[in-house]
């Protein structure tokens, strides 16, 4: 689906975005006048969308964001959508024929250019329902590609580079969900923490791609009022493996806002991708490079020499850019 043109994303020079303290503030990257700053995504780059925390039956910002995703996919070459969990709020789905598949997904992400591969992971809300049905929906929908609870895939990028993406299942890696398994998260109990961690370690040990991204639902570092145990468990169990193998980015969701965090002793860019429907306020913490309570989605753009993540609001304004380079 390559197109012979370069699409120019508009970074508006005068709009206000919500700062980390919850008050409106002009972006520091914005010029003082109203002139627009343009950022190009090269036609030869390998580009994909990251979206999560979607399913609100079309309410809040879900429909306009879905339309923005489709419009973006129409104007640049998008290879796929990485869905980082909670496609379904609030109790997951009961089966592959649950009506929520239509009202949360099929009828919302109906733009013709979104009829491409979607690579999902399970979120905590999927675990409140039938998680096997989420995997089995791959047999129903041509675009829903979920081979297992955690999986990996390598892609060719540019002329001589490759991208490895590792999708992980974070809910069973967090103790609180096992404690609440009988009451609310029944499918967690059957999942082995150690087995998945061994798989993550083995997968990353064998990865020799130019770029490596790990995608899971829960963030490893984030400002949030959710239980500290969520981040502490992932820092102890997952982050130690990611640092061991020099992963480039970890992308999560769950918190319903944008966050970009760097921490001492790690060269990884830790990303919280915002909600595709309803957002929450956010404040900076130690290591925060950027945060915003805007709703929206992200685009990852990879080439031989650069790996870039663009955080976009619902109108496709670029709020923040993360760029990694190779010589």
């Amino acid at each position: 689906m390559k197109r012979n043109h370069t699409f120019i994303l508009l970074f508006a020079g005068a709009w206000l975005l919500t700062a980390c303290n919850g008050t409106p503030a002009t972006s520091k990257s914005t010029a003082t006048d109203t002139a627009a700053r343009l950022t190009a995504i090269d036609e030869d780059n390998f580009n994909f969308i990251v979206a999560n925390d979607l399913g609100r039956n079309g309410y809040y910002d879900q429909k306009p964001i879905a339309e923005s995703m489709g419009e973006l996919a129409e104007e640049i070459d998008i290879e796929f959508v990485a869905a980082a969990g909670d496609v379904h709020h609030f109790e997951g789905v009961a089966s592959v024929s649950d009506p929520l598949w239509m009202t949360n997904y099929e009828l919302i992400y109906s733009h013709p250019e979104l009829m491409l591969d979607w690579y999902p992971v399970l979120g905590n809300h999927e675990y409140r329902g039938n998680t096997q049905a989420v995997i089995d929906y791959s047999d129903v929908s041509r675009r829903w590609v979920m081979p297992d609870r955690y999986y990996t895939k390598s892609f060719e990028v540019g002329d001589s580079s490759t991208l490895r993406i590792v999708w992980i299942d974070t809910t069973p890696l967090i103790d609180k969900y096992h404690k609440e398994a009988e009451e609310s998260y029944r499918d967690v109990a059957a999942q082995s923490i150690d087995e998945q961690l061994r798989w993550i370690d083995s997968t990353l040990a064998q990865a020799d791609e130019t770029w490596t991204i790990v995608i899971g639902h829960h963030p490893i570092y984030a400002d949030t009022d959710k239980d500290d145990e969520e981040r502490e468990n992932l820092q102890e169990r997952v982050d130690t493996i990611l640092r061991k193998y020099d992963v480039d980015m970890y992308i999560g969701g769950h918190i319903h806002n944008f966050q970009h965090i760097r921490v001492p002793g790690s060269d990884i860019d830790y990303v919280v991708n915002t909600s595709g429907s309803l957002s929450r306020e956010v404040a900076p913490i130690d290591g925060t490079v950027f945060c915003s309570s805007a709703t929206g989605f992200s685009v990852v753009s990879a080439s031989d020499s650069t790996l870039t993540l663009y955080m976009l609001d619902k109108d496709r304004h670029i709020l923040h850019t993360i760029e990694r380079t190779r010589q």
Side-chain angles (χ1 to χ4, degrees), residues 8 21 105 139 226 266:
I8 303 298
N21 61 8
Y105 179 59
D139 297 327
K226 295 181 182 292
S266 175

Side-chain angles (χ1 to χ4, degrees), residues 271-282:
V271 177
V272 181
N273 190 52
T274 192
S275 168
S277 56
L278 180 66
S279 68
R280 301 188 181 107
E281 295 300 324
V282 61

Side-chain angles (χ1 to χ4, degrees), residues 159-179:
D159 296 324
S160 59
S161 299
T162 49
L163 166 67
R164 166 73 59 181
I165 302 182
V166 181
W167 285 268
I168 67 173
D169 186 15
T170 55
T171 302
L173 299 177
I174 296 170
D175 291 338
K176 63 174 270 188
Y177 295 110
H178 288 270
K179 298 170 188 174

Side-chain angles (χ1 to χ4, degrees), residues 235-306:
Q235 288 164 20
E236 176 185 355
R237 292 168 177 164
V238 176
D239 194 32
T240 51
I241 303 174
L242 305 189
R243 296 191 193 198
K244 179 180 176 181
Y245 296 110
D246 298 321
V247 166
D248 290 293
M249 286 185 188
Y250 176 83
I251 304 174
H254 187 53
I255 309 299
H256 292 224
N257 48 50
F258 281 123
Q259 299 185 52
H260 173 207
I261 295 171
R262 298 295 302 267
V263 298
S266 175
D267 190 43
I268 298 169
D269 287 294
Y270 300 93
V271 177
V272 181
N273 190 52
T274 192
S275 168
S277 56
L278 180 66
S279 68
R280 301 188 181 107
E281 295 300 324
V282 61
I285 60 172
D286 288 344
T288 297
V289 179
F290 173 83
C291 58
S292 169
S293 62
T295 57
F297 59 99
S298 291
V299 172
V300 176
S301 181
S303 69
D304 289 326
S305 59
T306 61

Side-chain angles (χ1 to χ4, degrees), residues 48-55 80-89 92-93 101 105 117-128 130-138 143-153 165-173 196 199-200 213-219 234 250-254 273:
F48 66 92
I49 288 174
V50 181
N52 49 267
D53 298 278
L54 306 172
F80 58 84
V81 177
D86 283 1
V87 173
H88 300 287
H89 287 84
V93 292
W101 284 109
Y105 179 59
D117 288 344
W118 286 56
Y119 294 103
V121 292
L122 298 166
N124 56 298
H125 283 285
E126 274 87 13
Y127 264 98
R128 296 183 71 92
N130 183 346
T131 54
Q132 188 60 48
V134 181
I135 300 169
D136 292 344
Y137 195 66
S138 300
R143 59 176 171 161
W144 192 262
V145 184
M146 190 175 186
D148 213 328
R149 295 172 187 271
Y150 44 91
Y151 55 97
T152 186
K153 190 172 177 64
I165 302 182
V166 181
W167 285 268
I168 67 173
D169 186 15
T170 55
T171 302
L173 299 177
Q196 184 179 176
W199 179 87
I200 295 171
I213 298 174
V214 177
I215 298 176
H217 179 62
H218 293 79
L234 294 184
Y250 176 83
I251 304 174
H254 187 53
N273 190 52

Side-chain angles (χ1 to χ4, degrees), residues 210-211 248 267 269 303-308 322-327:
T210 311
W211 309 106
D248 290 293
D267 190 43
D269 287 294
S303 69
D304 289 326
S305 59
T306 61
L307 178 68
T308 307
I322 304 167
E323 184 175 273
R324 299 176 68 90
T325 59
R326 291 275 194 273
Q327 297 297 324

Side-chain angles (χ1 to χ4, degrees), residues 37-52:
R37 186 179 118 191
L38 300 178
T39 302
I41 296 182
D42 190 273
E43 63 178 330
D44 293 326
N45 283 7
F46 184 93
N47 305 314
F48 66 92
I49 288 174
V50 181
N52 49 267

